[in-house]
Amino acid sequence: MSLTTDITEFVLLVVGAMGLSLTAKIEETPEATRIDVEGEDGGVLVRRGGEGLQALQHIVATTFRKQLGDDNRVVIDCNGFRKDKDIELRQMAHFVAEKARASGVPQEMGPLNPYERRIVHLAIAEDPTVTSESIGDAFMKTVIISSKK
Amino acid sequence: MAELQSEGEGGHPLRAVIEVVVRALVDHPDDVRVTESERRGVRVFELRTAPGDMGKIIGRQGRTAAALRTLLAVAAEHQGRRAQLDIKD
């Protein structure tokens, strides 16, 4: 049995234990394996900025840390909530980059969690005229986007 | 595209959330003990594990314990109930 199947079954076991009736859809992207749990009961997971979903992500990442290693990423989503947020975040990164380039003044984004910072850094890396770096030493960090001289 | 279905239902006991998550995280799942009681309308769960497993439940900066409490709270909210988790070490 594959690791993705193991993880999906674990996710469904947890949400089932929570009393939520949901269906899992698996999507393999170059970035990560995405497991999206779908259904009406998902509403409660995405409340308050997706607090429940983030907790589920943390539990899955911790439980499967060894098997996943450093190279495999798994993203737990619910009714496309994170996918939509990722798209917004990428658009925001490009917008902030444009502002940094036009003004010549470094711009701040955040504070962001590690997952969000990764999305921002990857979006910025697509653009050769700007750079990004994280500052701070807490879990949440600010990302500075500056134009390259 | 693979599709799998969870077996969620309304009257599911909240302790199942704790048991499923904690047993997956620890080295000694058979030593996981969850007891429960009712205190002023709040379901209170007490969790005990093998001494060496406590750190795994708490996690770095308490993040795993926080995530477990969040999942319990979400499950309770879904069922219109209130719950609390006490980790006993």
Side-chain angles (χ1 to χ4, degrees):
Chain A
M1 199 158 55
S2 79
L3 180 57
T4 303
T5 310
D6 286 353
I7 295 175
T8 306
E9 284 184 353
F10 176 69
V11 168
L12 290 173
L13 190 65
V14 174
V15 298
M18 292 170 73
L20 310 178
S21 185
L22 297 164
T23 300
K25 285 213 173 109
I26 300 155
E27 190 191 349
E28 301 282 353
T29 73
E31 277 290 291
T33 298
R34 303 189 72 102
I35 300 170
D36 189 37
V37 289
E38 299 177 342
E40 266 181 48
D41 283 357
V44 79
L45 279 176
V46 301
R47 253 175 236 173
R48 286 180 288 278
E51 196 181 71
L53 194 54
Q54 267 180 41
L56 186 59
Q57 173 81 42
H58 177 76
I59 295 295
V60 169
T62 306
T63 303
F64 292 93
R65 180 161 294 146
K66 280 198 192 113
Q67 294 97 307
L68 283 164
D70 292 334
D71 301 329
N72 300 306
R73 278 166 201 284
V74 60
V75 175
I76 313 301
D77 203 349
C78 178
N79 294 332
F81 175 83
R82 288 184 82 167
K83 206 171 198 173
D84 292 344
K85 282 203 24 170
D86 294 358
I87 292 167
E88 277 172 32
L89 196 57
R90 218 168 282 130
Q91 284 170 344
M92 181 57 81
H94 288 304
F95 174 78
V96 172
E98 181 50 43
K99 219 170 137 186
R101 191 169 34 235
S103 65
V105 181
Q107 304 287 322
E108 288 186 5
M109 263 186 91
L112 304 172
N113 69 33
Y115 175 82
E116 293 165 335
R117 288 200 296 279
R118 186 165 188 277
I119 290 172
V120 170
H121 288 312
L122 288 172
I124 295 305
E126 290 166 10
D127 184 340
T129 67
V130 284
T131 59
S132 59
E133 61 170 332
S134 300
I135 55 162
D137 48 20
F139 179 73
M140 303 291 283
K141 295 184 177 70
T142 299
V143 175
I144 308 286
I145 301 172
S146 343
S147 68
K148 272 189 202 167
K149 287 160 198 102
Chain B
M1 189 175 284
E3 261 201 47
L4 291 162
Q5 171 77 43
S6 72
E7 286 164 32
E9 48 186 292
H12 224 94
L14 288 169
R15 65 184 297 148
V17 184
I18 302 166
E19 285 172 347
V20 164
V21 172
V22 172
R23 291 212 167 107
L25 290 168
V26 300
D27 289 333
H28 305 283
D30 292 343
D31 293 343
V32 174
R33 296 281 177 276
V34 181
T35 57
E36 54 184 296
S37 59
E38 192 84 8
R39 215 184 285 157
R40 294 189 210 97
V42 180
R43 202 76 191 155
V44 180
F45 295 91
E46 289 188 353
L47 170 66
R48 288 178 179 78
T49 68
D53 281 334
M54 212 26 103
K56 292 199 170 70
I57 298 308
I58 293 163
R60 235 178 279 165
Q61 295 171 342
R63 288 193 61 224
T64 305
L68 177 57
R69 289 200 169 98
T70 299
L71 292 182
L72 178 65
V74 169
E77 185 182 348
H78 180 71
Q79 299 177 21
R81 302 166 65 189
R82 291 180 65 200
Q84 181 188 319
L85 175 64
D86 292 342
I87 298 171
K88 298 286 178 185
D89 55 2

